Amino acid sequence: MAKDTDPREEIVELRAQVAHHLHLYHELDAPEIPDADFDQLVHRLRALEDEHPALVAELNADRAGSASPGQQVGGAPSAAFAPVTHDVPMMSLDNAFDVDELRGWGERLERRLGDERTIDLWNIELKFDGLALSIRYEDGLLVRAATRGDGSTGEDVTHTVRTIADIPHRLPAGAPPVVEVRGEAYMRKSTFDALNDAQEAAGLKPYVNPRNAAAGSIRQKDAAVAAERGLSFWPYQLGRVDDGPELLRHSDTFTFLESLGFVVNDHHRIVSTLDDVVAFIREYERKRHDLDYEFDGVVVKVDELDMQRELGSTARAPRWAIAYKLPPEERATRLVDIPISIGTNGSATPYALLEPVFVGGVTVTNATLHNEDQVRAKDVRPGDMVIVRRAGDVIPEVVGPVLSERPAGSTAWEFPTECPMCSTALVRPDGEARHKCPNLDCPAQVRGRIEHFAQRSAMDIEFFGERTIDLLVTEGVISDVGDVFEFDLEVLRSFEGFGDTSIDNLRAALDRSRTRPLGKVIFGLAIPHVGSSNAALLAKAFGSLQSLSHATVEQIEAIDGLGTVIAESVVEWFSTDGAQAILAKLDSGGVRPVAPEVSTLEPTLSGKSVVVSGGLANYGRAEAKAAIVDRGGKAPGSVSKSTFALVVGNDPGASKVTKAEDLGIPILDEAGFETLLETGELPV
Ligand code: IVH
């Protein structure tokens, strides 16, 4: 992202991206970008958030107190398993991507300890790529096992964890009355290969990688399925321990874990300098493929537990540990061709069709090349040997050609002139990196728009998946999203695989979707630049599709959080005949979007930002914020020069009061707050 972008916009955008990928990774076990890319997003977000604490406080207040995903540990716990609150939070780890970052971390720790104290015992171990678990024993018996979840609440997966042979069900006599063992459930590479052979033989989809297979197996409802998968476990940490032995060093933890009957991974070491740590890292970079399980980094921990306690933790991670991430893995293979795929909005994306290559734990056959400029910059050509890179993750990347092996007489690749789906001439709008197929009726686009409309976060139409949509579009039954609620379902009878049940199911699903929230419907229309949060803002501001369709650029721009690009895009979209026809069809198809509740209070605080600090007698924290927001104001968590007033109750934050005084911002008590709410003016 360019350096000169607005930090607020960049933080908002990064938060949305990080939240999206966290959801895919932790809750759906289906990541769509490489871990290394995800880590970079989080890295950038944290750096920006560290640089702009006031913005962070304000944004957090706008999101009614929810934390940035950059500060979040993992995914939200799924509703499918019972929640388990961790007595001791399960923290995440900060990352170092190179040796300089690692050394910088070491120096910061020593500075923090002060008095020129040095750290002379570093514990180094592998960072296993699996699913973190906390396993609780009471009176020697395994009573509960939980995933990490969001760090404070995980999911109860006791039933599947009991099937892991490495995890004892009973601890030896003399074990403490309560012990929580933490570690990583994983699948051995050999087990994974056998599992995928079996999947393939049964005509089922293979698993992407051992991590996903392990996570998917743990999060099975049926323990028997997990048992068949043959999972393994490496312990590396303790959670709550009551009346345990006195441990002085992290390495004592390993000895203790062994005494409880756990097998601790062999590849750990205690060294006295960061130079030795770097040597260990180099050694394991080389050994990466020699072990029968995947690791994606090396975890460095301060060994002395007293020192760990002294160094403490931030909200998400201990200061005394860091994960050194191994660089993504690379392999060479043949680039067979560079075909073009056409997306929902007509974007034409070149991708690499590769001779299958095993890299980063999976067999890769294609990789995106993004756009014309990227292909040109890399100068990759069909027939080239190319380097493919992939970290422990899903989307691989083509790094570049192996020039020494380039076939004689090869010529640079040219972007095709026609859409592969509908033969319309492709265009590349001025100033944009992407080519587009301008034909709105291109079957790829029609299908894409309808799939977008039907997806869970939009109209949420069950039983209306890719195959059904593809059939209906190909047969010319539906050609835009307006047709979805209007077509005669009976036509499905003529297609293979459709009968009474599937038609009834779809009919009922369509019925349920007729009353979706307005914001979801607007999102479903696939208006360029209108993602789900912008759609929610539009729904709140306009209350109906009809009134949104008559909105002007000025009206939309005036909405807090929306800018000119979005405003113009919305107005342009609704200005076409096609859009009007869609609205008419949705209406006659019985779609009745449900408008969000709108505040009926006078917008006395419109455009004003009011900070509340300390306890008020008549308003809880959330209530005070709601009272401001419902009157059109903003209720950020910190004082800045744009603050209109600071309201103080019992025990207000001293720094807020000082800052308000410094900036000359009015400070009100609760009575003053009530006047402000009512009149929008400061009390006299
Ligand atoms: S220690 C409070 N040690 O990495 C520190 N974590 O990115 C807790 N992980 O949640 C973590 N191998 O799932 C630790 N040897 C290791 C690890 C390890 C893998 C995972 C674990 C953790 C995540 C943080």
Side-chain angles (χ1 to χ4, degrees), residues 238-550:
L238 293 168
R240 173 172 158 183
V241 181
D242 290 0
D243 302 329
E246 194 191 354
L247 307 176
L248 297 178
R249 292 166 44 175
H250 178 66
S251 35
D252 296 339
T253 304
F254 288 162
T255 321
F256 176 55
L257 285 165
E258 280 170 347
S259 78
L260 296 179
F262 283 87
V263 180
V264 173
N265 183 272
D266 269 346
H267 303 275
H268 63 92
R269 203 168 292 168
I270 296 164
V271 297
S272 56
T273 67
L274 286 179
D275 284 340
D276 297 335
V277 171
V278 173
F280 180 92
I281 290 171
R282 299 288 174 245
E283 180 183 338
Y284 279 86
E285 270 171 0
R286 285 193 301 276
K287 289 186 177 160
R288 194 162 177 173
H289 304 294
D290 301 349
L291 305 181
D292 190 25
Y293 45 86
E294 295 200 322
F295 58 98
D296 59 345
V298 167
V299 182
V300 188
K301 299 175 182 171
V302 170
D303 199 41
E304 287 180 82
L305 297 181
D306 265 350
M307 244 180 211
Q308 288 192 0
R309 279 186 279 272
E310 202 175 327
L311 290 165
S313 306
T314 65
R316 59 175 297 279
R319 291 198 185 83
W320 44 262
I322 202 156
Y324 183 97
K325 288 300 202 86
L326 295 184
E329 202 192 331
E330 298 187 342
R331 286 270 194 280
T333 189
R334 183 81 55 198
L335 174 62
V336 178
D337 198 3
I338 304 183
I340 303 289
S341 75
I342 303 292
T344 307
N345 53 7
S347 57
T349 309
Y351 64 96
L353 188 64
L354 302 162
E355 262 172 26
V357 58
F358 193 75
V359 54
V362 296
T363 303
V364 172
T365 51
N366 52 46
T368 179
L369 289 168
H370 304 286
N371 57 46
E372 179 178 29
D373 296 347
Q374 291 267 333
V375 183
R376 190 162 293 157
K378 288 180 177 160
D379 186 23
V380 282
R381 309 173 179 187
D384 273 349
M385 281 304 283
V386 292
I387 303 292
V388 176
R389 177 194 291 167
R390 185 179 175 283
D393 40 48
V394 175
I395 292 191
E397 180 195 2
V398 174
V399 182
V402 183
L403 288 175
S404 57
E405 294 188 35
R406 174 162 280 170
S410 100
T411 52
W413 180 79
E414 296 284 341
F415 210 96
T417 51
E418 287 184 359
C419 170
M421 300 298 296
C422 68
S423 305
T424 306
L426 294 173
V427 293
R428 179 172 169 183
D430 274 352
E432 290 192 17
R434 289 187 163 239
H435 280 71
K436 279 192 81 159
C437 166
N439 174 16
L440 291 177
D441 298 325
C442 172
Q445 294 190 51
V446 171
R447 260 200 311 269
R449 283 195 298 270
I450 297 174
E451 280 168 22
H452 174 86
F453 184 67
Q455 69 177 299
R456 186 161 337 151
S457 47
M459 298 306 283
D460 192 18
I461 311 175
E462 276 182 285
F463 308 107
F464 199 55
E466 263 174 48
R467 191 179 89 87
T468 310
I469 294 174
D470 193 21
L471 271 173
L472 291 169
V473 172
T474 312
E475 296 298 319
V477 180
I478 58 177
S479 57
D480 65 35
V481 300
D483 296 332
V484 170
F485 289 92
E486 284 225 310
F487 78 95
D488 178 4
L489 270 71
E490 291 305 315
V491 299
L492 287 169
R493 269 187 217 287
S494 56
F495 300 144
E496 203 192 308
F498 285 89
D500 285 345
T501 315
S502 49
I503 292 177
D504 287 350
N505 282 343
L506 179 55
R507 200 185 307 280
L510 285 166
D511 236 9
R512 285 193 293 277
S513 294
R514 286 191 161 91
T515 47
R516 289 285 286 162
L518 178 61
K520 308 278 181 194
V521 182
I522 297 174
F523 171 61
L525 296 175
I527 304 170
H529 303 292
V530 179
S532 50
S533 50
N534 290 340
L537 291 176
L538 291 168
K540 197 163 170 213
F542 291 95
S544 73
L545 281 178
Q546 215 47 35
S547 93
L548 178 61
S549 76
H550 296 125

Side-chain angles (χ1 to χ4, degrees), residues 91 93 125-128 132 148 184 236-237 299 301 318:
M91 300 209 118
L93 288 173
E125 56 204 75
L126 301 181
K127 183 171 191 301
F128 310 108
R148 186 173 62 174
E184 204 84 355
Y236 46 66
Q237 207 63 41
V299 182
K301 299 175 182 171

